[in-house]
Amino acid sequence: MGRIVAIVGRPNVGKSTLFNRLTESRSAIVDDESGVTRDRQYGKSEWNGMEFSLIDTGGYVEGSDDIFESEIRKQAKLAIDEADIILFVTDVQQGITALDEEVARMLRSSKKNVLLVVNKSDGSAQFITAMEFYSLGFEEYFPVSAMNGSGTGELCDRIVELLPGDDVEQTNPDIPRLVVVGRPNVGKSSLINAFIGEDRNIVTDQAGTTRDSLETRYQKFGFDFYLVDTAGMRKRAKVSEDIEFYSVMRAVRAIEYADVCIVMLDASRGIETQDLNIFHLALRNSKGVVILVNKWDLVEKDSNTAKEFEKVLRERLAPFVDVPVIFISALNKQRIHKAIETAIEVHHNRIQKIPTSKLNEVMLPEIEHNPPPATKGKYVKIKYITQLPTHTPSFAFYANLPQYVKEPYKRFLENKLRKHFSLTGVPINVFLRKK
């Protein structure tokens, strides 16, 4: 399940630059100083019609070279455990270092597909120098320049050739899959146990107790869906290692084949960077989202506590704020049935098909009242709207000059769609096309 590509390598070889190039973003900070990447980066990439999840394993570690080496070794092991393909990034200008050889030995002993990326190969001289990296023992090497993009096309061609197909095992694809995701120890397994009414999943205070993604068919109270608890860890020996990185890699796989992601937060800790990473992973995969704030029974409250918490939460989630937020206690089973009902509603929102006649009846008057602003003296006229046959709600607005419709007006159209139709918890796409 899933298509995960992990980028590994020693500091300052250009991992973050390559990540930005392949995801067509600038979300990873790039600097000449080593150790700049402090938080792992997670993104989506697409090449030749195939999407895959990309993880930059760069991590900031203070201290000696020995600590750097142990951190890189640890991240490489985690990538070996979970990734389908590993991009081992080196620097042609610095040549092969002892740390490169250490990582290479580890990767050679794995059974994973490893592509050796010789970065900073900007010219013919570097292409010749790159041949020495054959000595690291990998069949294929790719001289690239992550900075200007040369060679990355050939690299992406090989990535999609090696990636697995859509081999998700699912008994009935018509039954929705609700996947519970979140940081370790936020109460995912407790919630699953409360849902199904039995202690199927082991629950402890130790983060990383769940060893694999567990799927349960839920058929009660008129509901019928698959409920998936995402693993924090697979082996107890891994608990002492990088739990957050490992858990997100596991969550990526589950999210890719989910219909609705139930993102759990810990009320006592608020929303943290890792929570936002998981939330945005669900959005980038175009999944329905419900946010559950667990352990609400442990928070000292007055009449405004929930409102204030939700206000801060939505500020952090912006710009996508049309998402249900439910305060629960999995331990005391407070509002857990509302959580189920809301997740099913979000699923229905995601799969609904709005008739074209209804779309035009509602949206054309809104557009007429607030038309797109004129550009260079030319007026844009939107004449027709239809929903596209995609898994995620996508809407095409046909206009005479679609190229002049800017992003703010697209957001206006999205807001009007959300106002008139039930699209809460669902990311939607708005396209402008030539009439």
Side-chain angles (χ1 to χ4, degrees):
M1 283 177 58
R3 302 187 185 107
I4 298 179
V5 178
I7 302 175
V8 302
R10 58 184 173 80
N12 208 30
V13 293
K15 297 190 298 296
S16 295
T17 306
L18 182 63
F19 174 90
N20 288 343
R21 172 68 58 180
L22 297 185
T23 58
E24 297 182 338
S25 70
R26 294 184 62 85
S27 56
I29 300 171
V30 177
D31 195 272
D32 289 336
E33 182 181 347
S34 65
V36 167
T37 305
R38 295 170 182 252
D39 298 312
R40 278 91 190 177
Q41 297 290 331
Y42 313 95
K44 293 291 289 185
S45 185
E46 182 180 352
W47 188 258
N48 290 343
M50 180 177 284
E51 285 192 342
F52 54 91
S53 296
L54 195 68
I55 299 179
D56 175 8
T57 61
Y60 177 79
V61 182
E62 292 182 341
S64 68
D65 290 339
D66 291 337
I67 298 177
F68 254 130
E69 187 172 337
S70 66
E71 178 73 5
I72 293 164
R73 187 185 301 114
K74 181 170 65 177
Q75 292 185 16
K77 286 180 180 177
L78 292 168
I80 289 169
D81 281 343
E82 285 303 312
D84 298 298
I85 296 175
I86 299 166
L87 303 184
F88 175 27
V89 183
T90 56
D91 183 343
V92 70
Q93 296 175 4
Q94 295 183 13
I96 299 172
T97 68
L99 199 47
D100 289 329
E101 292 176 342
E102 171 75 16
V103 177
R105 276 194 295 272
M106 192 186 313
L107 295 176
R108 282 198 306 270
S109 64
S110 76
K111 295 181 180 180
K112 295 296 176 77
N113 291 311
V114 180
L115 301 181
L116 176 61
V117 179
V118 186
N119 193 26
K120 306 181 184 179
S121 300
D122 294 307
S124 56
Q126 284 88 355
F127 272 65
I128 295 171
T129 307
M131 294 179 66
E132 73 177 65
F133 285 80
Y134 262 129
S135 65
L136 290 176
F138 298 101
E139 292 183 6
E140 299 176 276
Y141 82 98
F142 295 83
V144 307
S145 172
M147 184 66 71
N148 63 35
S150 67
T152 54
E154 291 81 357
L155 174 62
C156 289
D157 285 341
R158 188 60 179 139
I159 289 173
V160 298
E161 286 176 8
L162 294 174
L163 283 172
D166 291 320
D167 58 349
V168 60
E169 296 179 4
Q170 187 169 325
T171 308
N172 188 340
D174 296 325
I175 299 175
R177 291 170 64 88
L178 311 184
V179 175
V180 183
V181 292
R183 287 184 291 102
N185 208 29
V186 294
K188 299 188 296 293
S189 295
S190 297
L191 179 67
I192 300 288
N193 290 341
F195 278 157
I196 65 179
E198 60 182 81
D199 292 337
R200 171 174 173 176
N201 297 350
I202 300 170
V203 178
T204 72
D205 291 335
Q206 172 67 58
T209 300
T210 304
R211 301 184 182 188
D212 277 302
S213 294
L214 303 174
E215 181 176 291
T216 304
R217 177 80 174 268
Y218 186 96
Q219 292 175 293
K220 294 181 180 180
F221 309 110
F223 294 115
D224 188 4
F225 55 84
Y226 292 105
L227 196 59
V228 183
D229 179 14
T230 52
M233 305 291 288
R234 266 202 302 208
K235 301 175 183 176
R236 289 292 297 174
K238 298 286 187 184
V239 172
S240 62
E241 296 188 356
D242 196 329
I243 294 172
E244 287 193 351
F245 176 50
Y246 196 100
S247 64
V248 171
M249 291 186 78
R250 300 290 292 167
V252 167
R253 292 189 181 276
I255 286 172
E256 287 185 346
Y257 292 105
D259 292 304
V260 177
C261 296
I262 299 174
V263 181
M264 290 191 70
L265 313 180
D266 186 333
S268 61
R269 298 178 63 175
I271 185 165
E272 299 180 334
T273 302
Q274 194 72 346
D275 300 315
L276 290 173
N277 276 334
I278 295 171
F279 174 75
H280 290 299
L281 270 175
L283 295 188
R284 279 195 291 269
N285 281 275
S286 300
K287 307 302 181 183
V289 179
V290 177
I291 293 180
L292 302 187
V293 183
N294 191 29
K295 307 182 185 180
W296 192 240
D297 54 314
L298 303 181
V299 176
E300 293 185 11
K301 297 178 281 292
D302 58 33
S303 58
N304 292 319
T305 305
K307 289 182 180 179
E308 291 171 358
F309 190 102
E310 185 172 342
K311 179 183 177 184
V312 173
L313 175 61
R314 292 190 185 280
E315 287 173 354
R316 296 290 305 278
L317 298 178
F320 184 66
V321 295
D322 188 18
V323 56
V325 177
I326 303 170
F327 297 88
I328 70 163
S329 168
L331 193 62
N332 297 334
K333 300 185 178 181
Q334 285 182 312
R335 289 183 284 278
I336 62 170
H337 289 292
K338 183 180 179 183
I340 291 181
E341 292 169 357
T342 304
I344 295 298
E345 286 176 10
V346 168
H347 173 64
H348 290 318
N349 293 347
R350 184 170 179 263
I351 64 172
Q352 69 176 314
K353 301 301 178 186
I354 303 171
T356 300
S357 58
K358 185 68 175 177
L359 271 173
N360 286 273
E361 177 188 332
V362 170
M363 292 300 295
L364 287 180
E366 293 281 9
I367 293 168
E368 186 177 349
H369 189 258
N370 289 285
T375 303
K376 300 178 182 177
K378 296 181 179 180
Y379 292 91
V380 180
K381 294 181 180 179
I382 296 174
K383 294 291 187 181
Y384 182 73
I385 308 107
T386 188
Q387 184 175 357
L388 301 175
T390 56
H391 292 298
T392 306
S394 301
F395 301 91
F397 290 76
Y398 290 88
N400 60 335
L401 298 167
Q403 67 272 24
Y404 290 138
V405 179
K406 306 302 181 185
E407 203 59 40
Y409 194 78
K410 287 183 181 180
R411 288 197 294 270
F412 164 79
L413 294 175
E414 178 179 340
N415 290 337
K416 290 301 179 183
L417 285 167
R418 292 187 180 280
K419 174 184 174 183
H420 292 289
F421 303 102
S422 299
L423 293 165
T424 298
V426 182
I428 65 176
N429 297 316
V430 172
F431 300 102
L432 270 294
R433 292 184 173 177
K434 184 72 175 176
K435 183 171 69 69

